[in-house]
């Protein structure tokens, strides 16, 4: 990235030295050069970059603004990502990830929560991203959208049935609720809590018995 100071410094060098300096950087594997402040890219930059096959881009933003925007963009695009088998809903402003073994009732609990006025983010497959060390976000798989497969009912479109406000595209995960079978370690009083690590991130966790009242306990 070259701002006014870097472009001015290149202008103080002899053309040969400037080209050698740029060529030394271009051959290290950089993706591109960006000239900020709407400045014209000097020949000492473009010629060695072209020879090395490195693009030279321009931006009208100030250097500090471009760095800030590029950092946010890169963090979003290059965040670690994984898929989890579960459901993600928003309850009272919190993102709740519902986990449990297959067939234990995760989708049924999520549907019951939506019927009670909460919002569905993802069913069956939750795409989890960590754009920063303290933030974990989840969304539905693109092909699944806001559809749910309910045992005995088939596939339903939550947005068509409950309205647009019943769904959410993405939500930060604040709590993990794991559905467990009776009596396997479930806390009936809600006094036992802990933390879980899913795909190298830590999040508050609690266990809840499965069954028709699972949504009420959540």
């Amino acid at each position: 990235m070259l701002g006014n100071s870097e472009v001015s410094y290149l202008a103080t060098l002899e053309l040969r030295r400037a080209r050698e300096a740029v060529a030394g950087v271009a051959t290290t594997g950089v993706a591109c050069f960006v000239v900020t402040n709407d400045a014209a890219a000097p020949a000492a930059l473009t010629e060695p970059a072209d020879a090395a096959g490195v693009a030279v881009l321009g931006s009208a933003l100030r250097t500090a603004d471009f760095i800030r925007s590029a950092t946010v963009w890169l963090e979003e695009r290059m965040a670690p990502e994984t898929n989890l088998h579960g459901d993600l809903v928003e309850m009272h402003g919190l993102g709740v990830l519902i986990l449990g073994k297959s067939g234990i009732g995760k989708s049924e609990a999520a549907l019951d929560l939506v019927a009670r006025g909460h919002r569905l983010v993802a069913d069956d497959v939750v795409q989890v991203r960590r754009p920063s060390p303290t933030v974990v976000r989840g969304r539905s798989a693109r092909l699944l959208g806001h559809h749910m497969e309910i045992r005995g009912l088939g596939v339903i479109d939550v947005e068509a049935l409950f309205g647009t406000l019943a769904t959410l595209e993405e939500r930060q995960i604040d709590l993990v609720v794991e559905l467990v079978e009776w009596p396997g370690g479930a806390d009936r009083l809600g006094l036992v809590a802990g933390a879980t690590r899913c795909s190298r991130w830590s999040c508050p966790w609690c266990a809840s018995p499965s069954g028709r009242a699972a949504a009420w306990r959540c």
Side-chain angles (χ1 to χ4, degrees):
M1 191 173 308
L2 294 89
N4 291 332
S5 299
E6 290 77 15
V7 172
S8 299
Y9 172 72
L10 282 178
T12 64
L13 300 177
E14 296 180 358
L15 184 58
R16 179 183 58 82
R17 288 189 57 196
R19 288 176 175 173
E20 290 176 352
V22 173
V25 176
T27 55
T28 60
V30 296
C32 65
F33 291 102
V34 180
V35 182
T36 58
N37 299 293
D38 208 18
L45 171 65
T46 58
E47 293 175 1
D50 289 342
V54 179
V56 178
L57 308 177
S59 173
L61 294 176
R62 296 187 306 116
T63 304
D65 295 334
F66 182 85
I67 291 175
R68 190 180 305 110
S69 300
T71 300
V72 172
W73 188 88
L74 289 171
E75 286 179 348
E76 286 291 330
R77 296 305 188 276
M78 303 182 68
E81 184 173 321
T82 188
N83 292 333
L84 296 179
H85 179 56
D87 284 69
L88 179 59
V89 295
E90 184 191 61
M91 298 175 53
H92 305 297
L94 296 177
V96 180
L97 177 63
I98 304 174
L99 300 179
K101 69 179 185 179
S102 181
I104 201 168
K106 299 182 295 294
S107 296
E108 288 80 358
L111 179 60
D112 199 0
L113 289 169
V114 172
R116 294 169 184 265
H118 303 294
R119 308 176 75 181
L120 174 72
V121 181
D123 173 65
D124 194 38
V125 177
V126 183
Q127 292 183 342
V128 178
R129 295 186 306 110
R130 188 180 63 178
S132 73
T134 58
V135 175
V136 179
R137 304 187 69 86
R139 62 179 300 121
S140 65
R142 181 175 300 178
L143 292 177
L144 296 178
H146 293 119
H147 293 80
M148 300 181 70
E149 183 180 4
I150 306 297
R151 187 172 289 104
L153 292 178
V155 178
I156 63 173
D157 186 342
V158 173
E159 184 173 345
L161 288 175
F162 296 95
T164 305
L165 295 180
T167 61
L168 198 62
E169 291 298 322
E170 188 176 68
R171 186 66 177 86
Q172 179 174 324
I173 299 175
D174 303 296
L175 174 66
V176 176
V177 175
E178 183 175 359
L179 298 184
V180 297
E181 295 180 349
W182 290 94
D187 173 32
R188 301 187 184 186
L189 300 179
L191 301 178
V192 178
T196 184
R197 294 192 63 84
C198 297
S199 184
R200 296 176 296 180
W201 53 271
S202 179
C203 187
W205 165 92
C206 67
S208 175
S210 61
R212 297 188 63 182
W216 178 83
R217 284 187 291 269
C218 289

